[in-house]
Amino acid sequence: MDLTDYTAGFRPELVVIPCGVRKLDHRAQAADMYIGSYHRACRRAAEALQPDRLVILSAFHGLLDLSDEIDPYDIPHGHPDAVTVPILRDQAERFGVTALDPVVILGGARHVALATAIWPHARTPLTGTRGMGEQFARLTAMARAAGTQPPAMAKTRSPRRAVAVRRLNS
């Protein structure tokens, strides 16, 4: 599947993005809690798709609206206290998002496996990537194809300068 299959003329009803390891050290809205570059790249790509609804899949909390207030935590997927498919299914029903279509899931294999248990029909544009570098490249391409650019690329025309600016902003 080409990247434009996920972006051109396509507006999902729901985009599910991953949480992140890097977090603020205090209570905050979910939209602000995750500060890592991977979460931010997923968020930019998701917002570029202009979904009807955007949620974060937290390894600890499950589904979060961007406005949900949460405390920082240190529970990765696979941990005994991590969210499970039955919990996620119950949350999706309470959120009223189980029947939405189209759905796009961004994130690594663990996030995708958990989310596709709820939305087996979802599009997963990062599937098949061979590492974080390729995922970042695909996320950037998705954001561009949908008509937005990461701020670093908008500030400069030089690819070498853009990489330096991105590193400083990370």
Side-chain angles (χ1 to χ4, degrees):
M1 207 175 232
D2 186 274
L3 283 177
T4 56
D5 292 338
Y6 296 103
T7 56
F10 174 76
R11 186 166 179 198
E13 287 189 351
L14 176 67
V15 176
V16 181
I17 62 173
C19 57
V21 173
R22 292 190 55 216
K23 299 170 189 68
L24 295 174
D25 63 357
H26 59 274
R27 185 172 183 80
Q29 288 187 336
D32 302 321
M33 177 60 70
Y34 306 101
I35 58 175
S37 57
Y38 185 73
H39 171 81
R40 290 186 316 204
C42 288
R43 177 100 175 258
R44 275 193 299 272
E47 288 173 346
L49 294 173
Q50 300 178 347
D52 293 336
R53 187 147 183 202
L54 172 60
V55 296
I56 297 170
L57 174 52
S58 159
F60 182 63
H61 296 287
L63 295 179
L64 295 169
D65 276 322
L66 299 179
S67 61
D68 288 342
E69 293 264 337
I70 59 171
D71 290 312
Y73 60 92
D74 190 21
I75 304 290
H77 282 290
H79 187 279
D81 293 330
V83 70
T84 62
V85 170
I87 291 169
L88 187 60
R89 185 171 286 117
D90 180 58
Q91 288 179 326
E93 287 174 13
R94 283 188 284 121
F95 273 46
V97 295
T98 53
L100 296 182
D101 189 27
V103 174
V104 173
I105 301 168
L106 300 176
R110 288 182 176 176
H111 278 85
V112 169
L114 189 57
T116 54
I118 310 308
W119 299 281
H121 58 282
R123 297 177 187 203
T124 58
L126 301 181
T127 298
T129 55
R130 293 171 289 190
M132 294 301 283
E134 195 172 322
Q135 288 185 18
F136 274 106
R138 196 171 288 186
L139 290 165
T140 300
M142 286 177 63
R144 282 192 194 132
T148 63
Q149 295 184 41
M153 292 302 289
K155 293 178 185 174
T156 180
R157 292 175 202 214
S158 163
R160 178 175 277 160
R161 171 91 172 111
V163 169
V165 170
R166 269 197 305 262
R167 286 184 183 147
L168 288 173
N169 290 338
S170 294

